[in-house]
């Protein structure tokens, strides 16, 4: 019985010692994914494309606003000389035009968000895949996101590997 208890204690000790040894071999990494995204050439072209699209929407909105202002000024100048039915018709036109501008603004905002998603989703997928591949290939247990917007409160840089160079190499970025 004593021998069985002794063997159990030795096995238990070896089990805990093995866990301690395994725990010391765990690899942790960190990466600033925002910095990695901005290092991609795709990021610059997507940002330029999105800015051009945004500017096109702004230009269209400004043209609509100028047209509304011109019609409103013309109405204000001639309002005294108009009959009630013509005045009501012109006022209705101005209200309709104002409504269309508001609808355009809402639609433009939605289109801009959709365009941003369509441009940046492939970039995010590429970054995500590269980080996961680096993690698998290099035996990392965890790779934490650091940088702006990160929820990581603390990490010890001496015990965590910065995987940025590996991820850049994976993506072919220098």
């Amino acid at each position: 019985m004593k021998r069985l208890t002794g063997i159990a204690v030795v096995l238990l000790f070896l089990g805990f010692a093995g866990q301690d040894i395994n725990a010391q071999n765990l690899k942790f990494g960190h990466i600033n994914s925002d910095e990695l995204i901005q290092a991609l050439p795709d990021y610059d072209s997507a940002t330029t494309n999105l800015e051009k699209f945004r500017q096109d929407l702004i230009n269209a909105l400004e043209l609509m606003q100028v047209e509304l202002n011109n019609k409103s000024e013309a109405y204000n100048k001639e309002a005294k000389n108009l009959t009630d039915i013509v005045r009501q018709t012109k006022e209705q036109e101005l209200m309709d035009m104002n409504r269309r501008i508001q609808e355009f603004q809402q639609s433009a905002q939605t289109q801009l968000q959709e365009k941003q998603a369509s441009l940046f989703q492939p970039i995010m997928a590429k970054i995500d895949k590269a980080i996961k591949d680096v993690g698998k290939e290099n035996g990392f247990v965890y790779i934490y996101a650091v940088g702006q917007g990160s929820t990581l409160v603390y990490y010890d840089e001496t015990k965590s590997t910065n995987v940025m160079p590996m991820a850049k190499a994976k993506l072919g970025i220098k």
Side-chain angles (χ1 to χ4, degrees), residues 3-92:
R3 189 164 213 224
L4 187 57
T5 305
I7 291 174
V9 168
V10 169
L11 288 176
L12 198 59
F13 176 75
L14 288 176
F16 285 125
Q19 285 181 351
D20 191 37
I21 290 170
N22 286 338
Q24 290 177 356
N25 291 330
L26 296 178
K27 288 177 72 177
F28 297 95
H30 62 276
I31 190 165
N32 185 332
S33 55
D34 293 337
E35 185 181 321
L36 182 59
I37 290 167
Q38 292 173 5
L40 276 175
D42 299 3
Y43 175 80
D44 291 335
S45 64
T47 302
T48 301
N49 193 336
L50 183 64
E51 183 56 32
K52 182 188 177 316
F53 184 74
R54 187 182 74 76
Q55 193 58 51
D56 289 346
L57 293 173
I58 288 172
N59 292 343
L61 181 62
E62 286 175 351
L63 287 174
M64 293 172 77
Q65 193 66 47
V66 166
E67 184 182 355
L68 175 64
N69 290 342
N70 290 340
K71 286 188 177 190
S72 180
E73 286 176 16
Y75 168 76
N76 288 335
K77 286 180 183 176
E78 17 174 271
K80 299 175 216 165
N81 303 332
L82 299 176
T83 63
D84 286 344
I85 189 78
V86 174
R87 187 180 308 115
Q88 288 174 352
T89 303
K90 296 238 182 219
E91 287 173 356
Q92 187 61 45

Side-chain angles (χ1 to χ4, degrees), residues 37-162:
I37 290 167
Q38 292 173 5
L40 276 175
D42 299 3
Y43 175 80
D44 291 335
S45 64
T47 302
T48 301
N49 193 336
L50 183 64
E51 183 56 32
K52 182 188 177 316
F53 184 74
R54 187 182 74 76
Q55 193 58 51
D56 289 346
L57 293 173
I58 288 172
N59 292 343
L61 181 62
E62 286 175 351
L63 287 174
M64 293 172 77
Q65 193 66 47
V66 166
E67 184 182 355
L68 175 64
N69 290 342
N70 290 340
K71 286 188 177 190
S72 180
E73 286 176 16
Y75 168 76
N76 288 335
K77 286 180 183 176
E78 17 174 271
K80 299 175 216 165
N81 303 332
L82 299 176
T83 63
D84 286 344
I85 189 78
V86 174
R87 187 180 308 115
Q88 288 174 352
T89 303
K90 296 238 182 219
E91 287 173 356
Q92 187 61 45
E93 275 182 41
L94 291 173
M95 287 190 295
D96 288 345
M97 193 171 222
N98 196 27
R99 180 187 45 77
R100 284 195 308 270
I101 288 173
Q102 290 174 353
E103 288 173 355
F104 179 81
Q105 286 175 321
Q106 292 171 349
S107 174
Q109 185 65 32
T110 301
Q111 288 178 18
L112 189 62
Q113 289 171 346
E114 290 171 354
K115 182 75 167 180
Q116 182 178 14
S118 72
L119 289 171
F120 287 96
Q121 192 281 330
I123 293 171
M124 298 305 292
K126 184 187 278 188
I127 294 293
D128 188 54
K129 182 180 181 330
I131 293 170
K132 287 178 180 176
D133 289 348
V134 164
K136 287 177 186 173
E137 292 168 7
N138 294 285
F140 287 97
V141 177
Y142 292 103
I143 297 178
Y144 297 98
V146 296
Q148 187 124 5
S150 171
T151 56
L152 184 62
V153 178
Y154 171 80
Y155 68 99
D156 185 348
E157 290 185 44
T158 62
K159 295 178 183 173
S160 177
T161 303
N162 184 356

